[in-house]
mmCIF file of all heavy atoms in Angstrom:
data_model
loop_
_atom_site.group_PDB
_atom_site.id
_atom_site.type_symbol
_atom_site.label_atom_id
_atom_site.label_comp_id
_atom_site.label_asym_id
_atom_site.label_seq_id
_atom_site.Cartn_x
_atom_site.Cartn_y
_atom_site.Cartn_z
ATOM 1 N N PRO A 19 6.805 -30.410 9.630
ATOM 2 C CA PRO A 19 5.832 -29.447 9.527
ATOM 3 C C PRO A 19 6.311 -28.268 8.737
ATOM 4 O O PRO A 19 7.528 -28.014 8.625
ATOM 5 C CB PRO A 19 5.574 -29.045 11.006
ATOM 6 C CG PRO A 19 6.046 -30.288 11.826
ATOM 7 C CD PRO A 19 7.165 -30.904 10.966
ATOM 8 N N ALA A 20 5.343 -27.414 8.252
ATOM 9 C CA ALA A 20 5.650 -26.397 7.355
ATOM 10 C C ALA A 20 6.518 -25.273 8.091
ATOM 11 O O ALA A 20 7.458 -24.774 7.557
ATOM 12 C CB ALA A 20 4.371 -25.670 6.872
ATOM 13 N N LYS A 21 6.256 -25.095 9.356
ATOM 14 C CA LYS A 21 7.015 -24.085 10.120
ATOM 15 C C LYS A 21 8.496 -24.506 10.256
ATOM 16 O O LYS A 21 9.395 -23.664 10.055
ATOM 17 C CB LYS A 21 6.369 -23.854 11.486
ATOM 18 C CG LYS A 21 7.053 -22.788 12.331
ATOM 19 C CD LYS A 21 6.454 -22.587 13.667
ATOM 20 C CE LYS A 21 7.160 -21.533 14.488
ATOM 21 N NZ LYS A 21 6.551 -21.320 15.850
ATOM 22 N N GLU A 22 8.736 -25.749 10.572
ATOM 23 C CA GLU A 22 10.036 -26.299 10.708
ATOM 24 C C GLU A 22 10.793 -26.305 9.379
ATOM 25 O O GLU A 22 11.961 -25.919 9.301
ATOM 26 C CB GLU A 22 10.031 -27.652 11.265
ATOM 27 C CG GLU A 22 11.477 -28.321 11.482
ATOM 28 C CD GLU A 22 11.399 -29.665 11.992
ATOM 29 O OE1 GLU A 22 10.362 -30.147 12.521
ATOM 30 O OE2 GLU A 22 12.450 -30.390 11.853
ATOM 31 N N ALA A 23 10.062 -26.566 8.291
ATOM 32 C CA ALA A 23 10.732 -26.495 6.947
ATOM 33 C C ALA A 23 11.140 -25.056 6.644
ATOM 34 O O ALA A 23 12.218 -24.925 6.071
ATOM 35 C CB ALA A 23 9.734 -27.029 5.863
ATOM 36 N N TRP A 24 10.292 -24.069 6.983
ATOM 37 C CA TRP A 24 10.704 -22.704 6.728
ATOM 38 C C TRP A 24 11.860 -22.256 7.473
ATOM 39 O O TRP A 24 12.700 -21.606 6.946
ATOM 40 C CB TRP A 24 9.384 -21.789 7.003
ATOM 41 C CG TRP A 24 9.612 -20.378 6.616
ATOM 42 C CD1 TRP A 24 9.932 -19.383 7.492
ATOM 43 C CD2 TRP A 24 9.521 -19.836 5.306
ATOM 44 N NE1 TRP A 24 10.028 -18.175 6.803
ATOM 45 C CE2 TRP A 24 9.787 -18.415 5.556
ATOM 46 C CE3 TRP A 24 9.250 -20.375 4.120
ATOM 47 C CZ2 TRP A 24 9.785 -17.574 4.403
ATOM 48 C CZ3 TRP A 24 9.273 -19.471 3.053
ATOM 49 C CH2 TRP A 24 9.486 -18.091 3.176
ATOM 50 N N GLU A 25 11.942 -22.676 8.812
ATOM 51 C CA GLU A 25 13.103 -22.288 9.580
ATOM 52 C C GLU A 25 14.341 -23.005 9.054
ATOM 53 O O GLU A 25 15.471 -22.346 9.094
ATOM 54 C CB GLU A 25 12.754 -22.829 11.063
ATOM 55 C CG GLU A 25 11.771 -21.981 11.722
ATOM 56 C CD GLU A 25 11.325 -22.586 13.108
ATOM 57 O OE1 GLU A 25 11.806 -23.646 13.434
ATOM 58 O OE2 GLU A 25 10.559 -21.870 13.802
ATOM 59 N N ARG A 26 14.226 -24.202 8.631
ATOM 60 C CA ARG A 26 15.345 -24.838 8.011
ATOM 61 C C ARG A 26 15.821 -24.214 6.680
ATOM 62 O O ARG A 26 16.996 -24.149 6.354
ATOM 63 C CB ARG A 26 15.048 -26.344 7.791
ATOM 64 C CG ARG A 26 15.216 -27.150 9.090
ATOM 65 C CD ARG A 26 14.817 -28.601 8.897
ATOM 66 N NE ARG A 26 15.639 -29.305 7.935
ATOM 67 C CZ ARG A 26 15.580 -30.604 7.677
ATOM 68 N NH1 ARG A 26 14.665 -31.301 8.253
ATOM 69 N NH2 ARG A 26 16.376 -31.137 6.804
ATOM 70 N N SER A 27 14.912 -23.618 5.944
ATOM 71 C CA SER A 27 15.323 -22.941 4.675
ATOM 72 C C SER A 27 16.041 -21.655 5.050
ATOM 73 O O SER A 27 17.007 -21.306 4.343
ATOM 74 C CB SER A 27 13.988 -22.580 3.844
ATOM 75 O OG SER A 27 13.179 -21.579 4.525
ATOM 76 N N ILE A 28 15.663 -20.994 6.167
ATOM 77 C CA ILE A 28 16.460 -19.752 6.635
ATOM 78 C C ILE A 28 17.820 -20.275 7.048
ATOM 79 O O ILE A 28 18.835 -19.619 6.736
ATOM 80 C CB ILE A 28 15.726 -19.176 7.825
ATOM 81 C CG1 ILE A 28 14.335 -18.551 7.295
ATOM 82 C CG2 ILE A 28 16.612 -18.063 8.455
ATOM 83 C CD1 ILE A 28 13.545 -18.012 8.439
ATOM 84 N N GLU A 29 17.893 -21.417 7.713
ATOM 85 C CA GLU A 29 19.155 -21.910 8.169
ATOM 86 C C GLU A 29 20.057 -22.295 7.026
ATOM 87 O O GLU A 29 21.308 -22.058 7.068
ATOM 88 C CB GLU A 29 18.896 -23.131 9.042
ATOM 89 C CG GLU A 29 20.150 -23.888 9.597
ATOM 90 C CD GLU A 29 19.909 -25.158 10.187
ATOM 91 O OE1 GLU A 29 18.745 -25.477 10.613
ATOM 92 O OE2 GLU A 29 20.784 -26.005 10.283
ATOM 93 N N MET A 30 19.485 -22.875 5.937
ATOM 94 C CA MET A 30 20.255 -23.248 4.796
ATOM 95 C C MET A 30 20.862 -22.010 4.063
ATOM 96 O O MET A 30 21.966 -21.991 3.610
ATOM 97 C CB MET A 30 19.460 -24.031 3.800
ATOM 98 C CG MET A 30 19.051 -25.435 4.212
ATOM 99 S SD MET A 30 20.419 -26.420 4.933
ATOM 100 C CE MET A 30 21.490 -26.441 3.572
ATOM 101 N N LEU A 31 20.016 -20.912 3.958
ATOM 102 C CA LEU A 31 20.544 -19.658 3.385
ATOM 103 C C LEU A 31 21.687 -19.122 4.144
ATOM 104 O O LEU A 31 22.688 -18.569 3.636
ATOM 105 C CB LEU A 31 19.372 -18.689 3.261
ATOM 106 C CG LEU A 31 18.283 -18.935 2.174
ATOM 107 C CD1 LEU A 31 17.401 -17.798 2.002
ATOM 108 C CD2 LEU A 31 18.890 -19.349 0.876
ATOM 109 N N HIS A 32 21.568 -19.201 5.547
ATOM 110 C CA HIS A 32 22.682 -18.741 6.356
ATOM 111 C C HIS A 32 23.840 -19.603 6.151
ATOM 112 O O HIS A 32 25.083 -19.143 6.057
ATOM 113 C CB HIS A 32 22.232 -18.821 7.811
ATOM 114 C CG HIS A 32 23.242 -18.423 8.780
ATOM 115 N ND1 HIS A 32 23.741 -17.151 9.036
ATOM 116 C CD2 HIS A 32 24.041 -19.201 9.598
ATOM 117 C CE1 HIS A 32 24.710 -17.161 9.915
ATOM 118 N NE2 HIS A 32 24.899 -18.415 10.249
ATOM 119 N N MET A 33 23.682 -20.932 6.073
ATOM 120 C CA MET A 33 24.777 -21.885 5.835
ATOM 121 C C MET A 33 25.611 -21.586 4.563
ATOM 122 O O MET A 33 26.848 -21.727 4.526
ATOM 123 C CB MET A 33 24.303 -23.356 5.754
ATOM 124 C CG MET A 33 25.403 -24.356 5.840
ATOM 125 S SD MET A 33 24.745 -26.080 5.664
ATOM 126 C CE MET A 33 24.039 -26.306 7.251
ATOM 127 N N VAL A 34 24.863 -21.229 3.478
ATOM 128 C CA VAL A 34 25.502 -20.991 2.174
ATOM 129 C C VAL A 34 26.102 -19.546 2.065
ATOM 130 O O VAL A 34 26.438 -19.092 1.008
ATOM 131 C CB VAL A 34 24.583 -21.357 1.017
ATOM 132 C CG1 VAL A 34 24.345 -22.800 0.981
ATOM 133 C CG2 VAL A 34 23.396 -20.487 0.954
ATOM 134 N N GLY A 35 25.960 -18.785 3.209
ATOM 135 C CA GLY A 35 26.614 -17.458 3.212
ATOM 136 C C GLY A 35 25.825 -16.290 2.641
ATOM 137 O O GLY A 35 26.340 -15.290 2.151
ATOM 138 N N ILE A 36 24.442 -16.446 2.552
ATOM 139 C CA ILE A 36 23.670 -15.336 2.100
ATOM 140 C C ILE A 36 23.366 -14.445 3.271
ATOM 141 O O ILE A 36 22.729 -14.881 4.254
ATOM 142 C CB ILE A 36 22.328 -15.830 1.455
ATOM 143 C CG1 ILE A 36 22.716 -16.601 0.111
ATOM 144 C CG2 ILE A 36 21.352 -14.701 1.155
ATOM 145 C CD1 ILE A 36 21.489 -17.185 -0.645
ATOM 146 N N PRO A 37 23.634 -13.131 3.082
ATOM 147 C CA PRO A 37 23.393 -12.198 4.234
ATOM 148 C C PRO A 37 21.912 -11.988 4.377
ATOM 149 O O PRO A 37 21.066 -12.115 3.538
ATOM 150 C CB PRO A 37 24.154 -10.913 3.823
ATOM 151 C CG PRO A 37 24.183 -11.030 2.251
ATOM 152 C CD PRO A 37 24.318 -12.459 1.990
ATOM 153 N N SER A 38 21.515 -11.674 5.662
ATOM 154 C CA SER A 38 20.133 -11.389 6.114
ATOM 155 C C SER A 38 19.233 -12.476 5.580
ATOM 156 O O SER A 38 18.294 -12.199 4.867
ATOM 157 C CB SER A 38 19.652 -10.010 5.538
ATOM 158 O OG SER A 38 20.515 -9.050 5.904
ATOM 159 N N PRO A 39 19.436 -13.757 5.860
ATOM 160 C CA PRO A 39 18.651 -14.813 5.406
ATOM 161 C C PRO A 39 17.164 -14.731 5.784
ATOM 162 O O PRO A 39 16.268 -15.220 5.037
ATOM 163 C CB PRO A 39 19.252 -16.097 6.006
ATOM 164 C CG PRO A 39 20.040 -15.674 7.138
ATOM 165 C CD PRO A 39 20.491 -14.275 6.846
ATOM 166 N N GLU A 40 16.818 -14.122 6.908
ATOM 167 C CA GLU A 40 15.494 -13.966 7.350
ATOM 168 C C GLU A 40 14.640 -13.119 6.437
ATOM 169 O O GLU A 40 13.341 -13.457 6.180
ATOM 170 C CB GLU A 40 15.384 -13.356 8.829
ATOM 171 C CG GLU A 40 15.965 -14.210 9.870
ATOM 172 C CD GLU A 40 17.491 -13.979 9.936
ATOM 173 O OE1 GLU A 40 18.124 -13.224 9.168
ATOM 174 O OE2 GLU A 40 18.128 -14.731 10.818
ATOM 175 N N SER A 41 15.271 -12.197 5.727
ATOM 176 C CA SER A 41 14.521 -11.350 4.724
ATOM 177 C C SER A 41 14.740 -11.951 3.311
ATOM 178 O O SER A 41 13.723 -11.852 2.509
ATOM 179 C CB SER A 41 15.018 -9.908 4.836
ATOM 180 O OG SER A 41 16.379 -9.855 4.563
ATOM 181 N N ARG A 42 15.882 -12.548 3.100
ATOM 182 C CA ARG A 42 16.124 -13.066 1.729
ATOM 183 C C ARG A 42 15.196 -14.213 1.365
ATOM 184 O O ARG A 42 14.907 -14.449 0.216
ATOM 185 C CB ARG A 42 17.551 -13.551 1.628
ATOM 186 C CG ARG A 42 18.616 -12.432 1.612
ATOM 187 C CD ARG A 42 18.572 -11.690 0.307
ATOM 188 N NE ARG A 42 19.692 -10.821 0.205
ATOM 189 C CZ ARG A 42 19.950 -10.117 -0.830
ATOM 190 N NH1 ARG A 42 19.334 -10.174 -1.965
ATOM 191 N NH2 ARG A 42 21.008 -9.201 -0.741
ATOM 192 N N VAL A 43 14.723 -14.979 2.345
ATOM 193 C CA VAL A 43 13.799 -16.072 1.991
ATOM 194 C C VAL A 43 12.531 -15.660 1.373
ATOM 195 O O VAL A 43 11.878 -16.376 0.657
ATOM 196 C CB VAL A 43 13.402 -16.921 3.338
ATOM 197 C CG1 VAL A 43 14.588 -17.721 3.765
ATOM 198 C CG2 VAL A 43 12.880 -16.012 4.397
ATOM 199 N N ASN A 44 12.259 -14.325 1.533
ATOM 200 C CA ASN A 44 10.981 -13.804 0.962
ATOM 201 C C ASN A 44 11.220 -13.195 -0.383
ATOM 202 O O ASN A 44 10.318 -12.593 -0.984
ATOM 203 C CB ASN A 44 10.354 -12.821 1.894
ATOM 204 C CG ASN A 44 9.790 -13.469 3.167
ATOM 205 O OD1 ASN A 44 8.962 -14.340 3.067
ATOM 206 N ND2 ASN A 44 10.230 -12.991 4.326
#
C-alpha cells in the first residue's frame, strides 16, 4: 500500500544516514 511504501521510504533515508528523514522525504 502507498502508506507503507511512504513509511519505508522514510526508513530508507534514515538507514542511509540522512538527518531528519521525516522532513527530507518532502
